[in-house]
Structures are given as C-alpha cells and as structure tokens.
Amino acid sequence: MTDDEVYEGLADVTVTETRLSDIDGEAGQLWIAGYPVGKLAANATYPETVHLLLYDRLPDAEELESLEDRLCSYRTLPEPCKDAVVAAAQRGAGPMAALRMGAATATAVEPNDPEADALRLIARLPTITATYWRVLSGEEPLEPRLDLGHAANYLYMLTGEEPTDAQVEGLETYLTAVVDHGLNASTFTARTIVSTESELVSAITGAIGALRGDLHGGAPDLVLEMLEDLEAAPDPRADLEARLAAGERLMGFGHRVYGARDPRAAVLEDAAAAFYEGEDDFFAAAKEIEDIATELLAEHRPDLDLETNVEFYTAVLLSGVGIPPELFTPTFAISRVAGWSAHCLEQLEDNRLIRPRSAFVGEHDREWTPVEER
C-alpha cells in the first residue's frame, strides 16, 4: 500500500486482528469464536454466546448460572435511562433513536467499568426497547421478570404474556446467529470510539447510530412487507418480474461480503421451518417466493450470486415469534450489542488509537480576501 493509494470505504483493508468472528465470503461460511454459526445458533442460548464472546470459551453450568444472574440483576433501567426512553416514546421518536437515547444513559449513575458496562448494556437494551414500545403503544411499561431467561423476558416485556417455548427457541437462535459479523460499520465504529479511551457506553451508542443507517442495519421490515404483498398477489412470479423490470431491488437478496448464500440465512431458515411447522403457510409462501426470486435474479444478473441474505429469514422468523416489524432493527441491536462489547474489550486489551489518513484533494496557499472585498 503506497501513500497515495485510496481505498474507498476501507474496502479490503485489514486494520486489526480479532478472535471473535471470521467470514469466508466466497464459500459462504461464518465462524463465531471458532464455532460454525449454524452449529452455535442451533445449540447455544444467548447467554452462552455472550460468555463465549466475552471470555473466549463456553461456560460450564456454574459460570452460566452466574452470568445469567448478573444479567438479571442489571435488567432494570436506572431512572435517567427510563425517563429518556419514556420521553422519546411520548414525543414519537423512532425506535432506533429511542434505543440510542436509552443506551447513552444506560449506565449514567454507575461507575465506569468496561466489563460491567458490557453486561449492563446487554441486559438493558431489551428493557429499553420494550419500555419504548409499550409507552408508544399507550401501555404501561413492564418491569423485567427475574424468573425468565434473556429472550423470554424480552418477549414478555413487549406483550405482557409469557412466551411459548417455540417463540423463545426461535428468538434465541436469531440472537446467536447475528451476534457478530466481522468488522462491519457499527463494529468498526465501536472499536474506533473505544480506542480513544472513551467509555464503552459511548462506543455502543455510536454503534447503534451506525446500525441505524439503511446501508448497514438494512430493512427486514421491508422484506416482510414485500413477502406479504407477494403472498397476496395473484401471480407472485409476474409481480417479481415486474419489479425487476422496473429496476427495483428485491429486499433480502445479496450481501456485500458473500459470493455465496449468507450462512445466517440458512440458520434462520431452519429456525423458521421449525417454528412454523404444522401451524402456518407463511413459511411455505416465503420459500416459494425465495425460489422464484432466486431463479429470476440469476437470469437478470448472471454476473452476481444474489441469494437470500440474513434479512430475508429474519423477517419470516421474527414476525412469527411476535416481534413487531418496527422493532426488527432494534432487536438486531439487542443481539449485536454482545459482539460490539466484545470487540471493545478486545480493542482495549492492546489498544492503539485508530487513526487512518486521508488523501487531500483540495487547494494549497489560497489567498485571503477581506469580507468587504468578497
């Protein structure tokens, strides 16, 4: 790399080492702390995954119980945080704006401790999201239940009803499947902020801001909207052909880092198949739409491998387990906060300020003109 080379968007530039996740885009593979994502997501609870990312090993039974107890003890929001989230909902703020405000105040009354702050944020993002949603819906927010696990408690706080085992299992699989994914924009943002030796909460708040962008967090709610429209269409194939002919992008297909199918799509497809088995034909409709769209995309763009990405079956699965579409991206953050936190702690282990350079393309030695002569 020479001094005058510019890599737009830092594409293909390696800036750090990590043990947290590895992607083989051409082969369509993803490993989370050494485990294939399919194997981990099919077996691990979310707290087990949190322990794996933070401490580089799966917990034994005693360690898992201890971690779950700590997460439970942190779930209740400090008053400044709750006040900020309630105010955001009462003023009609969007869900990611409310989550950002809540995260920024989530540890405001507690001493700075990066590891403890990581666990506080992991525990509190579900409470923040559920509190926002209840207030926005005109209902009283619910206090966390200490007798429910991480995923079950989130679903309970949203609805006031104890979720089914199938709902919990589906959400657990999702939370683990998307917990970390290389040095994406939000993760890089978090590492950059914490590299300045700012507090971990500042890094997570910045990461949430990055995830809010349409080019990163994506729009699984738009995937759901597309699927529902196509399911109701008299001829889904003709509808898809018309969309492609009009130059529309089919939501939920293709991914920047994969030259093959996104491996998380396979994980979430299996989870959705298990959840919907014998109960609903929405999954079958989604599968049919996927098959037709994949075929048409191969004809329309034979130079690209545009198969389903993580968003496609995120929409199918999260809709089934009872997450409102408006909360799909906040729920993504509820999972990814563990990855962000682990990256921040990893950055701090051997920290160096992240400080890339830019190539200057402006002028030098411009002449100053007084304001009255301009």
Side-chain angles (χ1 to χ4, degrees):
M1 183 181 300
T2 62
D3 289 347
D4 58 354
E5 284 184 285
V6 176
Y7 292 78
E8 295 289 348
L10 295 181
D12 301 320
V13 176
T14 301
V15 299
T16 193
E17 296 179 336
T18 184
R19 58 168 179 78
L20 296 169
S21 62
D22 187 29
I23 301 167
D24 184 336
E26 290 305 309
Q29 293 182 302
L30 168 65
W31 296 266
I32 304 294
Y35 292 88
V37 65
K39 183 173 292 186
L40 187 68
N43 293 285
T45 64
Y46 185 68
E48 285 180 296
T49 306
V50 168
H51 193 284
L52 173 64
L53 288 175
L54 296 186
Y55 307 115
D56 199 25
R57 56 186 173 80
L58 291 170
D60 61 27
E62 184 177 343
E63 290 169 329
L64 180 58
E65 182 179 3
S66 175
L67 177 61
E68 289 173 334
D69 287 345
R70 287 188 72 185
L71 290 173
C72 282
S73 73
Y74 289 144
R75 284 178 184 165
T76 301
L77 301 182
E79 283 304 314
C81 179
K82 185 174 182 180
D83 290 347
V85 175
V86 169
Q90 290 173 337
R91 287 165 173 75
M96 289 299 286
L99 184 62
R100 186 178 66 243
M101 292 169 66
T105 54
T107 64
V109 297
E110 290 152 316
N112 178 33
D113 179 330
E115 182 184 346
D117 285 347
L119 294 178
R120 290 176 185 129
L121 288 159
I122 290 166
R124 289 172 185 167
L125 257 60
T127 311
I128 290 168
T129 304
T131 297
Y132 162 81
W133 186 249
R134 298 280 296 184
V135 174
L136 189 73
S137 303
E139 299 177 290
E140 285 295 317
L142 298 171
E143 289 298 311
R145 274 179 52 176
L146 302 184
D147 62 320
L148 294 177
H150 191 79
N153 182 67
Y154 175 45
L155 291 169
Y156 161 74
M157 288 191 298
L158 286 173
T159 66
E161 299 178 1
E162 190 165 331
T164 66
D165 290 344
Q167 287 176 299
V168 173
E169 184 176 345
L171 183 56
E172 288 270 20
T173 300
Y174 171 77
L175 293 177
T176 293
V178 303
V179 72
D180 194 53
H181 196 244
L183 204 59
N184 54 79
S186 57
T187 300
F188 183 63
T189 298
R191 290 191 76 131
T192 299
I193 293 172
V194 85
S195 80
T196 71
E197 298 186 355
S198 183
E199 302 92 337
L200 187 136
V201 67
S202 298
I204 301 306
T205 303
I208 291 170
L211 186 66
R212 167 63 183 84
D214 291 342
L215 293 183
H216 180 27
D221 55 323
L222 297 182
V223 175
L224 182 63
E225 181 181 318
M226 180 188 76
L227 290 174
E228 290 174 339
D229 288 347
L230 289 168
E231 184 184 21
D235 187 344
R237 177 180 287 272
D239 191 309
L240 284 165
E241 288 175 337
R243 290 171 186 248
L244 289 173
E248 291 185 25
R249 176 189 169 198
L250 298 187
M251 306 304 296
F253 290 84
H255 193 287
R256 175 171 172 172
V257 305
Y258 290 110
R261 192 188 190 204
D262 186 335
R264 299 166 299 174
V267 173
L268 298 181
E269 178 187 351
D270 290 344
F275 178 83
Y276 284 101
E277 185 177 10
E279 295 185 10
D280 198 298
D281 59 1
F282 182 54
F283 175 76
K287 275 295 297 176
E288 180 182 0
I289 291 165
E290 177 189 17
D291 292 342
I292 296 170
T294 302
E295 176 188 333
L296 293 176
L297 285 166
E299 296 172 0
H300 188 72
R301 290 299 305 271
D303 55 317
L304 298 175
D305 190 345
L306 297 175
E307 299 186 65
T308 44
N309 62 33
V310 67
E311 291 181 5
F312 189 90
Y313 282 105
T314 288
V316 177
L317 180 59
L318 292 189
S319 174
V321 303
I323 304 295
E326 297 90 338
L327 299 184
F328 284 178
T329 303
T331 303
F332 190 176
I334 286 169
S335 164
R336 187 60 63 83
V337 64
W340 292 333
S341 298
H343 273 275
C344 287
L345 296 177
E346 185 178 66
Q347 178 70 32
L348 292 174
E349 288 173 4
D350 185 22
N351 187 43
R352 182 175 182 180
L353 177 66
I354 295 175
R355 177 61 168 88
R357 303 195 313 172
S358 58
F360 181 69
V361 295
E363 300 178 41
H364 287 160
D365 301 322
R366 299 171 77 176
E367 292 295 329
W368 174 258
T369 305
V371 63
E372 62 273 10
E373 297 177 15
R374 294 177 204 158

